[in-house]
Amino acid sequence: MTNQQTMLYQGVLIPRPMLNVDLHVLPDFTGRVVLHIENGRVICDRQLFDDEHICSLATFIEMVREMELRFEEVAGGTNSDPNS
């Protein structure tokens, strides 16, 4: 039987690898933080404010459709990214 501190690897229980993370928040911080991790290393972290939420693009589009809003892709313009 495994628990949160161990994992089964090739029939043997081993300790789970740990990712040590330095967060850029105040010591008395309470809230949510999003981590961007690449190859086991934290690339950046960002505090989420109370009015911010995260969802996938598919979920966002589904929410828009359920609210019967209309959206369309806009190409070009002064604020567009030419590399996208």
Side-chain angles (χ1 to χ4, degrees):
M1 183 170 157
T2 63
N3 62 30
Q4 291 182 349
Q5 285 77 34
T6 61
M7 62 185 277
L8 191 61
Y9 178 73
Q10 296 182 348
V12 178
L13 282 176
I14 62 171
R16 285 196 178 270
M18 297 287 279
L19 178 63
N20 293 321
V21 177
D22 291 323
L23 297 177
H24 301 99
V25 296
L26 295 173
D28 61 345
F29 170 75
T30 299
R32 300 172 297 150
V33 176
V34 177
L35 300 176
H36 179 181
I37 300 172
E38 285 185 8
N39 299 321
R41 303 192 85 156
V42 176
I43 303 302
C44 68
D45 60 80
R46 182 179 178 283
Q47 174 184 347
L48 285 180
F49 297 105
D50 291 338
D51 63 344
E52 292 181 306
H53 304 279
I54 296 177
C55 69
S56 68
L57 180 58
T59 301
F60 178 76
I61 291 171
E62 179 182 340
M63 290 177 1
V64 168
R65 287 183 176 147
E66 286 180 5
M67 292 186 292
E68 297 181 359
L69 296 175
R70 196 164 166 261
F71 63 97
E72 60 186 63
E73 184 176 339
V74 178
T78 57
N79 292 329
S80 67
D81 181 358
N83 298 319
S84 62

